[in-house]
Amino acid sequence: MKIITKHTDYALRALLYLAGREGFVPAREIARKNKTPLRLTQRLLQTMAAAGLLESREGINGGVRLLRAPAKISMQDILIVFQKRLELSECRFRGKPCPNRPRCVIRPHLKRIEKKLSGEFKKINLRVLLNSR
């Protein structure tokens, strides 16, 4: 079971790198330091800028920087940007809602676990992660 996707993981790494820097940082530098593909890093940064987590600037002194303090960006914020919501089970069958959904005995337990996980991810912010290093 995968709770955090590769994109969310790479995005978190990029944000952590930015949290330790002043000013605008080029995507190339972030990709090099995190050992992530440049094109993917650029797309992730664009997505985070569109979501209001980053500010971007083009040009010779361009790059990206955090729009909020590290303590104000939680793992839950990043999960929402890249995974929309935390789901342990899609409860779907052939692209449609599962026909067993209304009487499913597993779904309420999964929803409770998802809620607890989301609460834990809200508690973990970039500042906490930086201090864990």
Side-chain angles (χ1 to χ4, degrees):
M1 170 179 19
K2 188 186 310 187
I3 293 178
I4 296 177
T5 65
K6 177 177 71 172
H7 288 175
T8 301
D9 179 22
Y10 286 2
L12 271 166
R13 293 171 192 276
L15 290 171
L16 284 169
Y17 185 75
L18 289 169
R21 304 290 174 282
E22 294 286 326
F24 288 90
V25 179
R28 185 174 306 283
E29 179 181 330
I30 297 166
R32 187 180 72 247
K33 293 291 184 177
N34 287 324
K35 296 180 175 67
T36 56
L38 177 59
R39 293 282 181 221
L40 177 56
T41 301
Q42 289 170 326
R43 283 196 312 268
L44 298 174
L45 295 173
Q46 288 171 348
T47 299
M48 289 188 285
L53 296 173
L54 302 176
E55 177 183 6
S56 65
R57 180 192 293 171
E58 292 185 26
I60 195 140
N61 294 319
V64 292
R65 68 178 177 186
L66 296 180
L67 270 177
R68 293 188 247 160
K72 300 286 184 188
I73 301 174
S74 72
M75 282 185 69
Q76 180 70 6
D77 295 332
I78 300 144
L79 280 163
I80 289 168
V81 169
F82 290 99
Q83 297 175 221
K84 304 305 177 224
R85 61 187 177 145
L86 183 64
E87 281 185 317
L88 297 179
S89 176
E90 281 187 289
C91 297
R92 300 186 70 69
F93 180 72
R94 294 186 180 156
K96 297 179 182 173
C98 176
N100 295 317
R101 195 174 187 168
R103 58 190 176 283
C104 181
V105 297
I106 300 168
R107 183 167 169 72
H109 298 284
L110 293 177
K111 297 305 282 179
R112 180 179 44 80
I113 294 167
E114 288 169 0
K115 187 174 180 178
K116 285 183 179 183
L117 272 174
S118 290
E120 290 299 313
F121 283 131
K122 284 178 187 173
K123 294 177 190 176
I124 303 169
N125 59 52
L126 295 181
R127 170 78 67 226
V128 169
L129 294 172
L130 283 172
N131 291 336
S132 297
R133 289 181 170 176

Short mmCIF file of all heavy atoms in Angstrom, two decimals, residues 51-103:
data_model
loop_
_atom_site.label_atom_id
_atom_site.label_comp_id
_atom_site.label_asym_id
_atom_site.label_seq_id
_atom_site.Cartn_x
_atom_site.Cartn_y
_atom_site.Cartn_z
N ALA A 51 -0.85 26.29 -6.74
CA ALA A 51 -1.61 26.01 -5.51
C ALA A 51 -1.35 27.04 -4.42
O ALA A 51 -1.94 26.97 -3.34
CB ALA A 51 -1.25 24.61 -5.00
N GLY A 52 -0.47 28.00 -4.68
CA GLY A 52 -0.22 29.05 -3.70
C GLY A 52 0.83 28.72 -2.64
O GLY A 52 0.93 29.43 -1.65
N LEU A 53 1.60 27.67 -2.85
CA LEU A 53 2.66 27.32 -1.91
C LEU A 53 3.97 28.03 -2.23
O LEU A 53 4.78 28.29 -1.35
CB LEU A 53 2.90 25.81 -1.88
CG LEU A 53 1.75 24.95 -1.39
CD1 LEU A 53 2.07 23.48 -1.58
CD2 LEU A 53 1.44 25.25 0.06
N LEU A 54 4.16 28.32 -3.51
CA LEU A 54 5.41 28.93 -3.98
C LEU A 54 5.15 30.16 -4.81
O LEU A 54 4.09 30.31 -5.40
CB LEU A 54 6.19 27.93 -4.87
CG LEU A 54 6.59 26.59 -4.28
CD1 LEU A 54 7.26 25.75 -5.36
CD2 LEU A 54 7.50 26.78 -3.10
N GLU A 55 6.17 31.00 -4.85
CA GLU A 55 6.19 32.14 -5.76
C GLU A 55 7.29 31.84 -6.77
O GLU A 55 8.36 31.36 -6.39
CB GLU A 55 6.52 33.42 -5.00
CG GLU A 55 6.64 34.64 -5.88
CD GLU A 55 7.03 35.89 -5.09
OE1 GLU A 55 7.33 35.80 -3.89
OE2 GLU A 55 7.08 36.96 -5.73
N SER A 56 7.02 32.12 -8.04
CA SER A 56 8.05 31.87 -9.05
C SER A 56 8.40 33.16 -9.78
O SER A 56 7.58 34.06 -9.88
CB SER A 56 7.59 30.80 -10.04
OG SER A 56 6.48 31.26 -10.78
N ARG A 57 9.65 33.19 -10.24
CA ARG A 57 10.15 34.35 -10.98
C ARG A 57 11.01 33.84 -12.12
O ARG A 57 11.86 32.97 -11.91
CB ARG A 57 10.98 35.24 -10.06
CG ARG A 57 11.54 36.46 -10.78
CD ARG A 57 12.58 37.20 -10.00
NE ARG A 57 12.02 37.82 -8.80
CZ ARG A 57 12.76 38.37 -7.86
NH1 ARG A 57 14.08 38.35 -7.94
NH2 ARG A 57 12.19 38.93 -6.80
N GLU A 58 10.79 34.39 -13.30
CA GLU A 58 11.60 34.00 -14.46
C GLU A 58 12.82 34.91 -14.55
O GLU A 58 12.88 35.95 -13.91
CB GLU A 58 10.77 34.12 -15.74
CG GLU A 58 9.66 33.09 -15.82
CD GLU A 58 8.93 33.14 -17.14
OE1 GLU A 58 9.52 33.56 -18.15
OE2 GLU A 58 7.76 32.74 -17.16
N GLY A 59 13.76 34.47 -15.34
CA GLY A 59 14.92 35.31 -15.59
C GLY A 59 16.18 34.80 -14.92
O GLY A 59 16.21 33.76 -14.28
N ILE A 60 17.25 35.59 -15.08
CA ILE A 60 18.56 35.19 -14.61
C ILE A 60 18.63 35.00 -13.10
O ILE A 60 19.33 34.13 -12.60
CB ILE A 60 19.65 36.16 -15.09
CG1 ILE A 60 21.02 35.53 -14.90
CG2 ILE A 60 19.56 37.49 -14.41
CD1 ILE A 60 21.95 35.78 -16.03
N ASN A 61 17.91 35.79 -12.35
CA ASN A 61 17.85 35.64 -10.89
C ASN A 61 16.55 34.98 -10.45
O ASN A 61 16.12 35.15 -9.32
CB ASN A 61 17.99 37.01 -10.21
CG ASN A 61 19.35 37.61 -10.44
OD1 ASN A 61 20.36 36.91 -10.39
ND2 ASN A 61 19.39 38.90 -10.74
N GLY A 62 15.96 34.22 -11.37
CA GLY A 62 14.67 33.61 -11.12
C GLY A 62 14.76 32.30 -10.37
O GLY A 62 15.81 31.87 -9.92
N GLY A 63 13.61 31.71 -10.24
CA GLY A 63 13.48 30.46 -9.52
C GLY A 63 12.18 30.47 -8.74
O GLY A 63 11.22 31.13 -9.13
N VAL A 64 12.18 29.75 -7.64
CA VAL A 64 10.99 29.68 -6.78
C VAL A 64 11.39 29.91 -5.33
O VAL A 64 12.55 29.71 -4.95
CB VAL A 64 10.26 28.32 -6.91
CG1 VAL A 64 9.65 28.15 -8.29
CG2 VAL A 64 11.19 27.16 -6.59
N ARG A 65 10.41 30.33 -4.54
CA ARG A 65 10.61 30.46 -3.09
C ARG A 65 9.28 30.21 -2.41
O ARG A 65 8.21 30.32 -3.02
CB ARG A 65 11.18 31.81 -2.73
CG ARG A 65 10.24 32.96 -2.93
CD ARG A 65 10.88 34.26 -2.49
NE ARG A 65 9.99 35.38 -2.76
CZ ARG A 65 10.32 36.63 -2.59
NH1 ARG A 65 11.53 36.94 -2.15
NH2 ARG A 65 9.47 37.59 -2.85
N LEU A 66 9.37 29.88 -1.14
CA LEU A 66 8.15 29.62 -0.36
C LEU A 66 7.34 30.90 -0.21
O LEU A 66 7.90 31.98 -0.02
CB LEU A 66 8.51 29.11 1.04
CG LEU A 66 9.23 27.77 1.14
CD1 LEU A 66 9.50 27.43 2.61
CD2 LEU A 66 8.42 26.66 0.49
N LEU A 67 6.04 30.76 -0.26
CA LEU A 67 5.15 31.90 -0.01
C LEU A 67 4.72 31.98 1.45
O LEU A 67 4.23 33.00 1.89
CB LEU A 67 3.89 31.79 -0.88
CG LEU A 67 3.97 32.44 -2.26
CD1 LEU A 67 2.69 32.20 -3.03
CD2 LEU A 67 4.27 33.91 -2.17
N ARG A 68 4.88 30.88 2.16
CA ARG A 68 4.52 30.83 3.58
C ARG A 68 5.71 30.35 4.40
O ARG A 68 6.61 29.71 3.88
CB ARG A 68 3.37 29.85 3.80
CG ARG A 68 2.07 30.26 3.18
CD ARG A 68 0.97 29.32 3.62
NE ARG A 68 0.51 28.54 2.49
CZ ARG A 68 -0.15 27.40 2.58
NH1 ARG A 68 -0.41 26.87 3.76
NH2 ARG A 68 -0.55 26.76 1.52
N ALA A 69 5.68 30.66 5.66
CA ALA A 69 6.72 30.17 6.57
C ALA A 69 6.65 28.64 6.62
O ALA A 69 5.57 28.06 6.49
CB ALA A 69 6.50 30.75 7.97
N PRO A 70 7.80 27.98 6.81
CA PRO A 70 7.81 26.51 6.88
C PRO A 70 6.82 25.93 7.90
O PRO A 70 6.24 24.88 7.66
CB PRO A 70 9.26 26.18 7.26
CG PRO A 70 10.05 27.32 6.71
CD PRO A 70 9.16 28.53 6.88
N ALA A 71 6.60 26.61 9.00
CA ALA A 71 5.67 26.12 10.01
C ALA A 71 4.22 26.19 9.54
O ALA A 71 3.33 25.58 10.14
CB ALA A 71 5.83 26.90 11.31
N LYS A 72 3.95 26.91 8.45
CA LYS A 72 2.59 27.08 7.93
C LYS A 72 2.29 26.18 6.73
O LYS A 72 1.24 26.30 6.12
CB LYS A 72 2.37 28.55 7.52
CG LYS A 72 2.54 29.53 8.65
CD LYS A 72 1.36 29.47 9.58
CE LYS A 72 1.51 30.55 10.66
NZ LYS A 72 0.51 30.41 11.68
N ILE A 73 3.23 25.28 6.39
CA ILE A 73 3.01 24.35 5.28
C ILE A 73 3.09 22.94 5.84
O ILE A 73 4.15 22.48 6.24
CB ILE A 73 4.04 24.54 4.15
CG1 ILE A 73 3.98 25.96 3.59
CG2 ILE A 73 3.81 23.51 3.04
CD1 ILE A 73 5.07 26.28 2.58
N SER A 74 1.95 22.26 5.88
CA SER A 74 1.90 20.91 6.45
C SER A 74 2.00 19.85 5.35
O SER A 74 1.77 20.13 4.17
CB SER A 74 0.60 20.72 7.23
OG SER A 74 -0.50 20.61 6.34
N MET A 75 2.28 18.65 5.78
CA MET A 75 2.29 17.52 4.84
C MET A 75 0.89 17.34 4.25
O MET A 75 0.76 16.98 3.08
CB MET A 75 2.74 16.23 5.53
CG MET A 75 4.23 16.14 5.71
SD MET A 75 4.77 14.55 6.38
CE MET A 75 4.42 13.44 5.02
N GLN A 76 -0.13 17.63 5.03
CA GLN A 76 -1.50 17.51 4.54
C GLN A 76 -1.73 18.48 3.37
O GLN A 76 -2.38 18.12 2.40
CB GLN A 76 -2.50 17.78 5.68
CG GLN A 76 -3.94 17.69 5.27
CD GLN A 76 -4.39 16.27 4.96
OE1 GLN A 76 -3.66 15.31 5.13
NE2 GLN A 76 -5.60 16.14 4.47
N ASP A 77 -1.18 19.69 3.46
CA ASP A 77 -1.31 20.66 2.37
C ASP A 77 -0.74 20.09 1.07
O ASP A 77 -1.33 20.24 0.00
CB ASP A 77 -0.55 21.96 2.70
CG ASP A 77 -1.12 22.71 3.89
OD1 ASP A 77 -2.33 22.60 4.15
OD2 ASP A 77 -0.32 23.40 4.56
N ILE A 78 0.40 19.43 1.17
CA ILE A 78 1.07 18.89 -0.01
C ILE A 78 0.32 17.67 -0.54
O ILE A 78 0.16 17.50 -1.75
CB ILE A 78 2.54 18.58 0.32
CG1 ILE A 78 3.23 19.88 0.74
CG2 ILE A 78 3.26 17.97 -0.87
CD1 ILE A 78 4.25 19.74 1.80
N LEU A 79 -0.15 16.83 0.38
CA LEU A 79 -0.96 15.68 -0.04
C LEU A 79 -2.18 16.13 -0.83
O LEU A 79 -2.53 15.54 -1.86
CB LEU A 79 -1.41 14.87 1.18
CG LEU A 79 -0.39 13.91 1.77
CD1 LEU A 79 -0.80 13.50 3.17
CD2 LEU A 79 -0.22 12.71 0.88
N ILE A 80 -2.83 17.18 -0.37
CA ILE A 80 -4.03 17.68 -1.04
C ILE A 80 -3.69 18.17 -2.45
O ILE A 80 -4.43 17.91 -3.40
CB ILE A 80 -4.71 18.79 -0.21
CG1 ILE A 80 -5.37 18.16 1.02
CG2 ILE A 80 -5.74 19.56 -1.04
CD1 ILE A 80 -5.83 19.16 2.06
N VAL A 81 -2.56 18.84 -2.60
CA VAL A 81 -2.16 19.35 -3.92
C VAL A 81 -1.92 18.21 -4.90
O VAL A 81 -2.38 18.27 -6.04
CB VAL A 81 -0.90 20.25 -3.82
CG1 VAL A 81 -0.34 20.57 -5.18
CG2 VAL A 81 -1.21 21.53 -3.05
N PHE A 82 -1.23 17.18 -4.47
CA PHE A 82 -0.83 16.13 -5.40
C PHE A 82 -1.70 14.88 -5.41
O PHE A 82 -1.71 14.15 -6.39
CB PHE A 82 0.64 15.74 -5.16
CG PHE A 82 1.57 16.83 -5.56
CD1 PHE A 82 2.09 17.70 -4.62
CD2 PHE A 82 1.88 17.04 -6.89
CE1 PHE A 82 2.92 18.74 -5.00
CE2 PHE A 82 2.70 18.07 -7.29
CZ PHE A 82 3.22 18.93 -6.34
N GLN A 83 -2.41 14.62 -4.34
CA GLN A 83 -3.20 13.41 -4.28
C GLN A 83 -4.68 13.68 -4.04
O GLN A 83 -5.46 12.75 -3.91
CB GLN A 83 -2.64 12.49 -3.17
CG GLN A 83 -1.24 12.04 -3.47
CD GLN A 83 -0.62 11.23 -2.35
OE1 GLN A 83 0.53 11.41 -2.04
NE2 GLN A 83 -1.37 10.34 -1.73
N LYS A 84 -5.04 14.93 -3.96
CA LYS A 84 -6.40 15.40 -3.73
C LYS A 84 -6.88 15.06 -2.33
O LYS A 84 -7.29 15.90 -1.59
CB LYS A 84 -7.39 14.88 -4.77
CG LYS A 84 -7.00 15.20 -6.19
CD LYS A 84 -6.78 16.67 -6.41
CE LYS A 84 -6.32 16.96 -7.83
NZ LYS A 84 -5.24 17.91 -7.88
N ARG A 85 -6.82 13.82 -1.94
CA ARG A 85 -7.18 13.43 -0.58
C ARG A 85 -6.55 12.06 -0.31
O ARG A 85 -6.18 11.34 -1.23
CB ARG A 85 -8.68 13.39 -0.36
CG ARG A 85 -9.40 12.42 -1.25
CD ARG A 85 -10.88 12.55 -1.09
NE ARG A 85 -11.51 11.64 -2.03
CZ ARG A 85 -12.62 11.00 -1.80
NH1 ARG A 85 -13.25 11.19 -0.67
NH2 ARG A 85 -13.14 10.20 -2.69
N LEU A 86 -6.46 11.75 0.93
CA LEU A 86 -5.89 10.49 1.35
C LEU A 86 -6.97 9.41 1.29
O LEU A 86 -8.02 9.54 1.91
CB LEU A 86 -5.36 10.62 2.78
CG LEU A 86 -4.67 9.42 3.37
CD1 LEU A 86 -3.39 9.11 2.60
CD2 LEU A 86 -4.33 9.70 4.81
N GLU A 87 -6.72 8.38 0.49
CA GLU A 87 -7.67 7.29 0.37
C GLU A 87 -6.94 5.96 0.54
O GLU A 87 -5.98 5.70 -0.16
CB GLU A 87 -8.35 7.28 -1.00
CG GLU A 87 -9.44 8.27 -1.16
CD GLU A 87 -10.13 8.11 -2.50
OE1 GLU A 87 -9.45 7.94 -3.52
OE2 GLU A 87 -11.37 8.17 -2.51
N LEU A 88 -7.42 5.16 1.45
CA LEU A 88 -6.86 3.82 1.61
C LEU A 88 -7.51 2.85 0.63
O LEU A 88 -6.93 1.85 0.26
CB LEU A 88 -7.05 3.32 3.05
CG LEU A 88 -6.33 4.14 4.12
CD1 LEU A 88 -6.62 3.56 5.49
CD2 LEU A 88 -4.84 4.16 3.86
N SER A 89 -8.74 3.16 0.22
CA SER A 89 -9.44 2.35 -0.76
C SER A 89 -10.30 3.28 -1.61
O SER A 89 -10.95 4.19 -1.10
CB SER A 89 -10.33 1.32 -0.07
OG SER A 89 -11.08 0.61 -1.02
N GLU A 90 -10.27 3.06 -2.90
CA GLU A 90 -11.06 3.90 -3.80
C GLU A 90 -12.56 3.62 -3.72
O GLU A 90 -13.36 4.45 -4.07
CB GLU A 90 -10.62 3.69 -5.25
CG GLU A 90 -9.36 4.41 -5.61
CD GLU A 90 -9.11 4.29 -7.09
OE1 GLU A 90 -8.76 3.19 -7.54
OE2 GLU A 90 -9.25 5.31 -7.78
N CYS A 91 -12.90 2.41 -3.30
CA CYS A 91 -14.31 2.00 -3.26
C CYS A 91 -14.94 2.18 -4.64
O CYS A 91 -16.05 2.71 -4.77
CB CYS A 91 -15.09 2.74 -2.18
SG CYS A 91 -14.49 2.39 -0.52
N ARG A 92 -14.20 1.74 -5.66
CA ARG A 92 -14.69 1.84 -7.03
C ARG A 92 -14.50 0.48 -7.71
O ARG A 92 -13.60 -0.28 -7.38
CB ARG A 92 -13.95 2.92 -7.80
CG ARG A 92 -14.12 4.30 -7.15
CD ARG A 92 -13.53 5.40 -7.96
NE ARG A 92 -14.20 5.74 -9.18
CZ ARG A 92 -15.40 6.32 -9.29
NH1 ARG A 92 -16.08 6.61 -8.22
NH2 ARG A 92 -15.91 6.61 -10.45
N PHE A 93 -15.36 0.23 -8.68
CA PHE A 93 -15.29 -1.01 -9.44
C PHE A 93 -15.56 -0.66 -10.90
O PHE A 93 -16.61 -0.11 -11.23
CB PHE A 93 -16.33 -2.01 -8.92
CG PHE A 93 -16.32 -3.33 -9.63
CD1 PHE A 93 -15.28 -4.23 -9.44
CD2 PHE A 93 -17.34 -3.66 -10.50
CE1 PHE A 93 -15.26 -5.44 -10.11
CE2 PHE A 93 -17.34 -4.87 -11.16
CZ PHE A 93 -16.29 -5.76 -10.97
N ARG A 94 -14.58 -0.91 -11.75
CA ARG A 94 -14.67 -0.58 -13.18
C ARG A 94 -15.04 0.88 -13.41
O ARG A 94 -15.89 1.22 -14.23
CB ARG A 94 -15.64 -1.50 -13.88
CG ARG A 94 -15.16 -2.93 -13.92
CD ARG A 94 -16.06 -3.82 -14.73
NE ARG A 94 -15.53 -5.17 -14.72
CZ ARG A 94 -16.24 -6.24 -14.93
NH1 ARG A 94 -17.53 -6.15 -15.21
NH2 ARG A 94 -15.68 -7.43 -14.90
N GLY A 95 -14.43 1.78 -12.63
CA GLY A 95 -14.63 3.21 -12.81
C GLY A 95 -15.89 3.79 -12.19
O GLY A 95 -16.13 4.98 -12.27
N LYS A 96 -16.70 2.94 -11.58
CA LYS A 96 -17.94 3.40 -10.96
C LYS A 96 -17.90 3.09 -9.47
O LYS A 96 -17.16 2.21 -9.03
CB LYS A 96 -19.14 2.70 -11.60
CG LYS A 96 -19.31 3.00 -13.07
CD LYS A 96 -20.49 2.27 -13.62
CE LYS A 96 -20.60 2.57 -15.13
NZ LYS A 96 -21.61 1.77 -15.77
N PRO A 97 -18.71 3.82 -8.66
CA PRO A 97 -18.75 3.49 -7.23
C PRO A 97 -19.08 2.01 -7.02
O PRO A 97 -19.92 1.45 -7.73
CB PRO A 97 -19.86 4.39 -6.68
CG PRO A 97 -19.91 5.53 -7.64
CD PRO A 97 -19.56 4.95 -9.00
N CYS A 98 -18.41 1.40 -6.11
CA CYS A 98 -18.60 -0.02 -5.81
C CYS A 98 -20.05 -0.29 -5.43
O CYS A 98 -20.63 0.43 -4.60
CB CYS A 98 -17.66 -0.44 -4.67
SG CYS A 98 -17.88 -2.14 -4.13
N PRO A 99 -20.66 -1.31 -6.01
CA PRO A 99 -22.06 -1.61 -5.69
C PRO A 99 -22.25 -2.07 -4.23
O PRO A 99 -23.35 -1.99 -3.70
CB PRO A 99 -22.43 -2.74 -6.67
CG PRO A 99 -21.14 -3.29 -7.14
CD PRO A 99 -20.11 -2.21 -7.03
N ASN A 100 -21.17 -2.50 -3.59
CA ASN A 100 -21.26 -2.94 -2.20
C ASN A 100 -21.08 -1.80 -1.20
O ASN A 100 -21.18 -2.01 0.00
CB ASN A 100 -20.22 -4.02 -1.91
CG ASN A 100 -20.48 -5.27 -2.70
OD1 ASN A 100 -21.61 -5.71 -2.81
ND2 ASN A 100 -19.43 -5.81 -3.30
N ARG A 101 -20.82 -0.62 -1.71
CA ARG A 101 -20.50 0.53 -0.85
C ARG A 101 -21.54 0.80 0.25
O ARG A 101 -21.17 1.00 1.40
CB ARG A 101 -20.31 1.76 -1.74
CG ARG A 101 -19.66 2.89 -1.09
CD ARG A 101 -19.40 3.97 -2.11
NE ARG A 101 -18.62 5.04 -1.52
CZ ARG A 101 -18.05 5.99 -2.19
NH1 ARG A 101 -18.15 6.02 -3.49
NH2 ARG A 101 -17.38 6.91 -1.58
N PRO A 102 -22.85 0.80 -0.06
CA PRO A 102 -23.84 1.12 0.98
C PRO A 102 -23.85 0.13 2.16
O PRO A 102 -24.16 0.51 3.28
CB PRO A 102 -25.17 1.08 0.25
CG PRO A 102 -24.85 1.23 -1.19
CD PRO A 102 -23.48 0.63 -1.37
N ARG A 103 -23.49 -1.10 1.92
CA ARG A 103 -23.55 -2.10 3.00
C ARG A 103 -22.16 -2.64 3.36
O ARG A 103 -22.04 -3.66 4.03
CB ARG A 103 -24.50 -3.22 2.62
CG ARG A 103 -24.16 -3.93 1.35
CD ARG A 103 -25.29 -4.88 0.91
NE ARG A 103 -24.99 -5.48 -0.37
CZ ARG A 103 -25.09 -4.88 -1.54
NH1 ARG A 103 -25.51 -3.64 -1.62
NH2 ARG A 103 -24.79 -5.52 -2.65
#
